[in-house]
Amino acid sequence: LVHIEQGLLTVPDHPELLALRKQVKTRLAEQQRQADEEARQRREAEARWQAEEAERRKTEKIRLQTAAEQRWQEAAQHLAQAVEAQRKGEYAASAELIDQGLTVAPDHGGLLRLRQEVEHGIAEEKARQEREAAQRLQAEQFLAQAQNHFTEGTLEISLAHVEQGLLVVPDHPELLALREQVKTRIAEQARQQAEAVKRQQEEAAQQQTTETERQKVEQARQQAELAQRRKETDQYLTRAVELQNKGEQTASLQQIEEGLALIPDHEGLTRLRHKVSTEIVAQQRQQAEQEQREREITNLLEQAEVHMKAWRLTTPVGNNAEETYQQVLKLDVGNVEALAGLKRIAEGYLQMAQKRRSAGMLSDSLTFIEKGLEVIPNHAELLRLREEVRAKGSEVQQRLEQQQLDRQKEKTKRQDRTATVQPPTQAIPQAKRKLATAKANAAKNRRCDSILSRLTLGESVSNEDHIFMTKECR
């Protein structure tokens, strides 16, 4: 009917389509009437079954209640007889009476407690009876479910419940009978479905003939439309190429998509879309990389400033201002803040070197100068100061060597005068004591200089060195 309506949209007064539409609608109305009649019959059958089932359950309930009361009275009698037999010591007779009572009422509390007292073996028998009862109950449940699904027409599910019930109780008569009914109904449905498929195939063949004619007309129309779309698509391609050459990739991509909406498999537009999309992705990736690089630079500059405030200029390794600024320059070679930071580090070492030089600590001053030049090798002030300190150091070294030479000469003179006054046996120990004292003083001075230099450079100093410097170094 859908195909007929589509054909009438093309040729509204087509006589064969109009006649066929009338036949299809008549057939659909007949099928709907039959379906309504079948539904009504199913509802009536379901109502009758429910009424019969309700009456059956009511009768069964009354019967079960009556039987339960009778069994309970009979079990009470057996219990009294079993208790009397137990009191007399007749345990075999008591066990037999208990079994009789439990056969009538398996869940009688008094009998169960008494049975545990008389014979522990009764538990196994009870378990066996419970298993059989559970199997029967499970089979009945599968039967009820299978009957419900059979009534509802879900035959495959009904057959599955029947098979499950027969696995529990293989010789269950009602399940066996129901299985035959279900299989018969399934076979009948299969036959009806085969006939319906055959009818559908015949109708489809007739519709195919009509559809072929319609497709010929539609193909001619589509070819004309395709030629027009190709012309419009070529125009979109021309505009897209012009926009791409101008660097307007987004606008070019929009023209491409509009052209592909007309002809999705247009080779030129497809190839150009891939090229333009690649260019857009590259631009976006470059922008993202630039933003990531700027964030990293910002974080590194903040870390470097923290190092500067904590006076971690070039130490410790891997956690100082100089290395952090160098990382910034690797990301941005001409970064102004990083270059300025390195200059601040060099000038910081310049100031410390100038202070050490003014204090006469030329070795420490030269150490700071070298650290500053490691940061900025061509720093003019540091280079000039290094020459001054080296010149000053040479001058001081010469003066110290002259002083040492003068002291040596004076020492020699004193030894000569002492030798003339003191016996040789007293002069030698005294000279050894003076030499030991001089060595000790030199070692103390070297240790003081080492501790002071480490404190100046910000290095760690032990408590022992702190105490030594306080007591011995002046």
Side-chain angles (χ1 to χ4, degrees), residues 343-359:
K343 185 176 180 181
R344 287 169 56 196
I345 295 173
E347 290 177 353
Y349 280 121
L350 174 63
Q351 293 176 4
M352 288 189 291
Q354 290 172 341
K355 291 180 181 179
R356 297 302 185 278
R357 184 197 61 180
S358 300

Side-chain angles (χ1 to χ4, degrees), residues 286-395:
Q286 290 176 359
Q287 183 178 359
E289 291 175 354
Q290 179 62 26
E291 292 175 356
Q292 176 64 23
R293 194 161 45 248
E294 290 176 357
R295 287 193 295 270
E296 292 180 6
I297 289 172
T298 301
N299 292 335
L300 289 171
L301 290 173
E302 292 176 356
Q303 294 176 14
E305 186 61 28
V306 172
H307 292 319
M308 290 293 292
K309 292 180 180 180
W311 206 246
R312 293 190 293 269
L313 303 183
T314 57
T315 57
V317 176
N319 190 29
N320 59 73
E322 182 205 0
E323 293 183 13
T324 306
Y325 283 130
Q326 294 295 348
Q327 292 177 13
V328 173
L329 292 175
K330 289 180 181 179
L331 298 174
D332 183 8
V333 177
N335 187 276
V336 177
E337 294 185 44
L339 294 174
L342 292 176
K343 185 176 180 181
R344 287 169 56 196
I345 295 173
E347 290 177 353
Y349 280 121
L350 174 63
Q351 293 176 4
M352 288 189 291
Q354 290 172 341
K355 291 180 181 179
R356 297 302 185 278
R357 184 197 61 180
S358 300
M361 302 168 65
L362 301 181
S363 177
D364 291 344
S365 176
L366 192 59
T367 299
F368 287 122
I369 291 171
E370 296 298 338
K371 284 183 174 291
L373 289 174
E374 289 176 0
V375 179
I376 300 181
N378 59 350
H379 194 282
E381 291 296 323
L382 286 171
L383 291 172
R384 182 186 58 79
L385 183 60
R386 183 173 65 178
E387 295 302 322
E388 294 180 0
V389 171
R390 285 179 176 176
K392 184 68 173 176
S394 298
E395 181 182 343

Side-chain angles (χ1 to χ4, degrees), residues 73-122:
Q73 293 175 359
E74 186 176 353
Q77 294 175 359
H78 283 298
L79 175 61
Q81 294 173 2
V83 170
E84 183 63 21
Q86 180 192 24
R87 187 181 63 79
K88 293 178 180 180
E90 299 173 357
Y91 295 106
S94 177
E96 183 178 356
L97 289 170
I98 291 171
D99 291 337
Q100 294 175 0
L102 289 176
T103 303
V104 176
D107 57 347
H108 192 283
L111 287 173
L112 291 173
R113 288 190 296 273
L114 184 60
R115 183 180 60 180
Q116 290 176 355
E117 296 174 1
V118 174
E119 186 178 359
H120 293 292
I122 299 301

Side-chain angles (χ1 to χ4, degrees), residues 98-291:
I98 291 171
D99 291 337
Q100 294 175 0
L102 289 176
T103 303
V104 176
D107 57 347
H108 192 283
L111 287 173
L112 291 173
R113 288 190 296 273
L114 184 60
R115 183 180 60 180
Q116 290 176 355
E117 296 174 1
V118 174
E119 186 178 359
H120 293 292
I122 299 301
E124 183 177 354
E125 179 65 19
K126 177 178 177 295
R128 185 186 63 79
Q129 293 176 356
E130 289 178 352
R131 284 195 301 272
E132 292 177 354
Q135 289 175 348
R136 289 194 299 272
L137 178 61
Q138 188 176 7
E140 292 295 331
Q141 291 174 348
F142 282 124
L143 174 61
Q145 293 174 355
Q147 290 173 338
N148 290 336
H149 285 289
F150 179 77
T151 304
E152 294 173 357
T154 52
L155 300 179
E156 297 296 338
I157 300 177
S158 177
L159 183 60
H161 287 301
V162 170
E163 297 296 344
Q164 290 175 342
L166 290 174
L167 289 176
V168 179
V169 182
D171 57 350
H172 195 287
E174 295 181 16
L175 286 171
L176 292 171
L178 182 58
R179 181 172 65 178
E180 294 302 322
Q181 294 179 14
V182 172
K183 288 183 176 180
T184 302
R185 182 72 62 82
I186 290 175
E188 178 64 21
Q189 286 186 352
R191 185 186 63 78
Q192 294 176 357
Q193 290 176 358
E195 293 178 354
V197 169
K198 182 179 179 181
R199 288 195 301 271
Q200 291 175 359
Q201 290 175 348
E202 293 174 352
E203 294 174 358
Q206 185 178 359
Q207 292 175 359
Q208 181 66 29
T209 302
T210 304
E211 180 66 16
T212 301
E213 296 298 328
R214 187 194 65 78
Q215 287 179 355
K216 290 180 180 179
V217 177
E218 181 67 17
Q219 185 176 7
R221 185 185 63 80
Q222 290 178 356
Q223 288 177 352
E225 291 181 355
L226 179 60
Q228 179 63 26
R229 287 200 302 272
R230 286 190 180 280
K231 181 179 179 181
E232 295 178 4
T233 303
D234 291 338
Q235 294 175 355
Y236 279 114
L237 176 60
T238 301
R239 290 195 294 269
V241 171
E242 293 176 353
L243 291 170
Q244 183 202 15
N245 294 333
K246 294 178 181 179
E248 301 178 8
Q249 277 78 8
T250 303
S252 175
L253 185 61
Q254 183 177 359
Q255 292 293 318
I256 293 170
E257 296 297 341
E258 292 178 1
L260 288 174
L262 297 176
I263 301 180
D265 57 348
H266 191 280
E267 183 178 358
L269 285 173
T270 302
R271 186 167 55 252
L272 184 60
R273 179 174 63 177
H274 177 72
K275 183 177 180 181
V276 172
S277 299
T278 302
E279 293 175 355
I280 291 175
V281 170
Q283 290 177 353
Q284 292 175 348
R285 183 171 61 251
Q286 290 176 359
Q287 183 178 359
E289 291 175 354
Q290 179 62 26
E291 292 175 356

